[in-house]
Amino acid sequence: MRHIYFLFIFVFIFSCKDSKSNDPQTPTEASKTKIDNTEVEDDSDLSAISTKDFREFKVLDSKNLTMVDIWADINSQMEDFTEADYNRLKPYILEKDITELQVNRTRNKFTYEELTKFYLYRIRKFDRENPLSLNSVIAINPDVIESAKQKDQNFKDRGMNKHPVYGMPILLKDNVNTSDMPTTAGALALKNNRTDDAFIVKQLKSNDALILGKANLSEWAYFFCGDCPSGYSAIGGQTLNPYGRRIMDTGGSSSGSGVAVAANFCAAAIGSETAGSILSPASQNSVVGLKPTIGLVSRSGIVPISSTLDTAGPITRSVRDAGIVLSAIYGYDSSDTKSVNLNTTFGYFVKPSMDALKGKRFGAPKRLIEDTLYVNALEVLRQQGAEIVEIEEEKLGLPNFIRLLNLDMKKDLPVYMESYANKNIKERTVTDMMAYNIKDSLNTMPYGQNLFQGIADDTGDEEFLMRIKDTLKTNGRQYFDIPMNKHNLDGFLSINNRHAAFAAVAEYPALTVPMGYTKKGEPKGLTFIAKPFQEKQLLEWAYVYEQASKARKAPKDYN
């Protein structure tokens, strides 16, 4: 497999968070606040869903999940995999991307069974109940080793016709339904939520990927507590950043997915985003995160926040892998009202070109120029032929952003519970979940449930919701379109998830790629934002930058 291919497609939107307000028709006086670290004019308190600088945690290890629980069905299947096997395989697996893994499998450096056991060994070795614990994995698929053995048996028969994700162990954010394990969204109320596969899981399985397990997350996709750290859930405990345990934020809400990919616990992971939930943990953990266009990737069978903004997407160690995983999960889903039935010409394999940045014009907000890593990244882009235009950002706000999430989740959660959740779960609404939590608040809600309370209190009607959507989408698109049209720009350059909320409401796709580390060792990402249906361009641009910068370094304590 000397030739490198990836499937590019087209996409647009984001996923994560929430707020409160009582009078649906009379917004409060606008004030300055921050969303995704971007100061904007807004009339909702968005601070509850912004990144927080936590140094002390009420909970670290889960009170509701132990190593015994996770490994009870797996340990006996791992008895023949030793430390010697692990060390033998490290040069062929650790920090390798999917294409390299497939090459090494073809050369018989390992089998898919050994690849799977390697990742399981690392999870068991590092993830919980030890001085380096990260708490990034909630569950292991008890059937994954047997599935890997089957992939080995079929490997020779499939030949080169197999999808690049064939036999690759993938972690799912634990708001994505799979028949292999419960889907909890990190909440105790859903601990027995046994379901059928989500549409994207069916896509992964149809392309012969392996479902390795479930990744921890910020509970209810970080739209639950409000005053809590990223990466906390009642079931999974506190996810920690491998570049700085208990020091650096993991980002949310796909915290476990970002951490697990960074720590080499899987070949790749699936995250979900409403407004930064892929971009944030990917950038905070020095990996690649792609938030695709809504409608490209199905949301059916994924615990929702907002049917307006939610989407799933890949979190990977390389840009090429993001394209591979995207190609494995996209597809038309008739049960998703926003799903797009793409013509086959919208998805295709191409060789990545190192000329993709030549002559391309990118807008760089002037206020970001103070960031040294960003300035260095801009210089790398220039060296690859890009033109950088320093721009002033439009002074536009995101009025009622939180209320959009409130009103969407109030109606979308019951739809999920009715259509996709286990029928034996009594709790069906946000109010039901709140009542469940109050029965054992120390275990279920140590940081409270303020955002859920905001959902319950919000009395906005459907007409008000539609007005919010229209205003936000208009503001979001103008935020990017005015400078892009004025300066004839191809794309917009940000840091981490700083413009995630604007991209979310504009329904513009975004991709973040590692751009280096601060003096304290904290990762940062360079984030490319483009217009709808330009995933192909995002992947090409980011690939060239990634290859030119070689910025990613693995977390040192996990090698």
Side-chain angles (χ1 to χ4, degrees):
M1 292 178 63
R2 295 174 62 92
H3 299 309
I4 299 172
Y5 298 98
F6 44 107
L7 177 62
F8 290 122
I9 314 151
F10 306 83
V11 175
F12 67 82
I13 230 153
F14 286 88
S15 138
C16 226
K17 335 208 178 193
D18 238 311
S19 150
K20 54 189 173 188
S21 186
N22 291 323
D23 182 353
Q25 309 303 333
T26 309
T28 58
E29 183 179 353
S31 60
K32 283 191 176 181
T33 188
K34 285 188 177 182
I35 180 164
D36 299 319
N37 295 322
T38 300
E39 190 174 81
V40 297
E41 295 290 340
D42 192 18
D43 56 19
S44 296
D45 181 10
L46 298 176
S47 61
I49 63 171
S50 301
T51 301
K52 302 174 185 65
D53 191 22
F54 276 80
R55 290 296 177 268
E56 296 183 9
F57 303 96
K58 292 183 179 180
V59 178
L60 281 177
D61 293 335
S62 172
K63 298 177 180 178
N64 303 293
L65 183 69
T66 67
M67 289 277 285
V68 172
D69 298 326
I70 295 175
W71 296 98
D73 297 326
I74 305 295
N75 278 332
S76 62
Q77 302 178 57
M78 291 285 291
E79 289 177 352
D80 62 346
F81 192 87
T82 66
E83 181 79 11
D85 294 318
Y86 171 71
N87 288 326
R88 172 177 59 86
L89 294 175
K90 279 175 71 174
Y92 306 111
I93 299 176
L94 198 67
E95 282 295 296
K96 303 301 182 185
D97 68 18
I98 288 173
T99 302
E100 293 171 312
L101 291 174
Q102 294 289 14
V103 168
N104 287 333
R105 172 64 185 92
T106 302
R107 293 174 177 170
N108 293 316
K109 299 299 184 182
F110 52 76
T111 64
Y112 291 119
E113 178 186 355
E114 290 177 317
L115 176 65
T116 301
K117 288 181 175 178
F118 178 89
Y119 288 130
L120 291 174
Y121 192 90
R122 281 184 63 81
I123 294 169
R124 190 174 61 181
K125 181 182 180 71
F126 290 116
D127 199 48
R128 287 187 183 269
E129 299 178 19
N130 70 80
L132 293 174
S133 62
L134 299 172
N135 298 331
S136 67
V137 177
I138 279 184
I140 298 297
N141 179 2
D143 301 320
V144 68
I145 292 175
E146 286 302 315
S147 296
K149 291 178 180 178
Q150 189 63 50
K151 295 294 181 281
D152 284 319
Q153 291 178 10
N154 297 338
F155 179 60
K156 292 182 179 179
D157 296 336
R158 296 296 299 272
M160 293 303 294
N161 292 324
K162 70 184 188 306
H163 191 281
V165 84
Y166 183 101
M168 293 295 104
I170 308 293
L171 282 173
L172 306 174
K173 183 177 179 178
D174 197 23
N175 60 351
V176 180
N177 284 2
T178 176
S179 59
D180 305 300
M181 297 155 282
T183 298
T184 72
L188 283 174
L190 297 185
K191 65 181 181 296
N192 295 317
N193 186 28
R194 290 272 180 183
T195 71
D196 296 329
D197 287 334
F199 184 91
I200 64 169
V201 175
K202 293 177 183 178
Q203 293 290 91
L204 283 168
K205 289 182 177 180
S206 71
N207 286 304
D208 293 303
L210 295 169
I211 306 304
L212 184 65
K214 289 295 194 75
N216 200 4
L217 71 163
S218 307
E219 188 168 339
W220 293 106
Y222 211 27
F223 201 48
F224 168 58
C225 39
D227 188 23
C228 55
S230 304
Y232 169 77
S233 75
I235 287 185
Q238 180 63 52
T239 313
L240 299 171
N241 191 318
Y243 291 90
R245 291 179 72 257
R246 304 181 67 174
I247 297 172
M248 297 175 188
D249 188 76
T250 60
S253 65
S254 305
S255 314
S257 298
V259 168
V261 170
N264 282 262
F265 290 164
C266 54
I270 300 297
S272 69
E273 176 156 347
T274 306
S277 288
I278 290 173
L279 299 178
S280 170
S283 55
Q284 288 288 137
N285 292 281
S286 198
V287 292
V288 175
L290 171 60
K291 187 225 83 162
T293 305
I294 282 200
L296 182 68
V297 176
S298 166
R299 292 91 54 80
S300 298
I302 301 177
V303 182
I305 291 178
S306 168
S307 56
T308 305
L309 303 181
D310 289 351
T311 185
I315 296 179
T316 60
R317 280 182 295 277
S318 74
V319 174
R320 181 168 58 205
D321 284 358
I324 288 173
V325 175
L326 181 62
S327 75
I329 62 176
Y330 91 103
Y332 175 68
D333 173 14
S334 60
S335 63
D336 184 344
T337 57
K338 284 204 171 185
S339 188
V340 177
N341 193 359
L342 295 176
N343 186 290
T344 55
T345 58
F346 281 96
Y348 54 92
F349 287 97
V350 297
K351 289 184 179 180
S353 169
M354 290 304 292
D355 293 331
L357 286 173
K358 289 185 177 179
K360 297 299 183 293
R361 293 170 59 84
F362 295 95
K366 289 182 179 180
R367 67 184 175 88
L368 300 185
I369 302 298
E370 65 189 24
D371 188 296
T372 302
L373 292 175
Y374 186 71
V375 171
N376 292 342
L378 298 182
E379 182 57 31
V380 172
L381 294 174
R382 288 190 183 97
Q383 291 172 2
Q384 302 307 310
E387 298 178 32
I388 306 300
V389 181
E390 295 185 16
I391 61 172
E392 295 288 351
E393 295 165 86
E394 296 303 305
K395 297 187 181 302
L396 292 165
L398 299 173
N400 295 302
F401 186 94
I402 293 295
R403 297 198 62 191
L404 165 63
L405 305 187
N406 282 347
L407 297 173
D408 265 356
M409 192 169 186
K410 181 176 280 191
K411 62 182 177 61
D412 292 340
L413 181 58
V415 171
Y416 166 85
M417 296 303 297
E418 180 62 30
S419 302
Y420 302 106
N422 191 291
K423 302 301 182 185
N424 294 326
I425 297 175
K426 296 179 181 178
E427 292 75 26
R428 316 304 284 181
T429 68
V430 169
T431 303
D432 292 341
M433 302 299 175
M434 292 173 65
Y436 176 93
N437 292 335
I438 289 172
K439 295 175 184 177
D440 185 11
S441 59
L442 287 178
N443 276 328
T444 61
M445 44 179 276
Y447 296 97
Q449 51 184 348
N450 289 343
L451 291 178
F452 264 24
Q453 188 65 56
I455 299 171
D457 291 345
D458 201 316
T459 58
D461 58 19
E462 186 65 26
E463 180 183 354
F464 182 60
L465 176 59
M466 293 305 295
R467 286 178 14 221
I468 294 174
K469 291 181 182 181
D470 183 66
T471 299
L472 288 174
K473 188 169 184 177
T474 298
N475 284 12
R477 293 214 164 177
Q478 288 183 347
Y479 185 86
F480 295 109
D481 287 356
I482 291 174
M484 291 179 89
N485 293 335
K486 179 180 179 180
H487 300 288
N488 192 27
L489 303 177
D490 295 285
F492 184 99
L493 299 172
S494 183
I495 298 172
N496 293 9
N497 60 320
R498 292 194 185 184
H499 294 87
F502 283 103
V505 296
E507 302 187 350
Y508 283 12
L511 186 155
T512 190
V513 61
M515 70 172 180
Y517 307 84
T518 67
K519 292 180 180 180
K520 295 181 179 179
E522 184 172 7
K524 284 190 177 182
L526 177 66
T527 301
F528 295 82
I529 300 172
K531 290 193 174 183
F533 303 106
Q534 290 190 335
E535 275 69 20
K536 175 181 181 294
Q537 287 86 343
L538 284 177
L539 288 159
E540 288 178 338
W541 300 336
Y543 177 82
V544 174
Y545 171 76
E546 173 191 59
Q547 297 303 304
S549 63
K550 299 291 184 183
R552 172 175 159 75
K553 298 178 182 178
K556 63 180 181 179
D557 292 330
Y558 299 88
N559 294 322

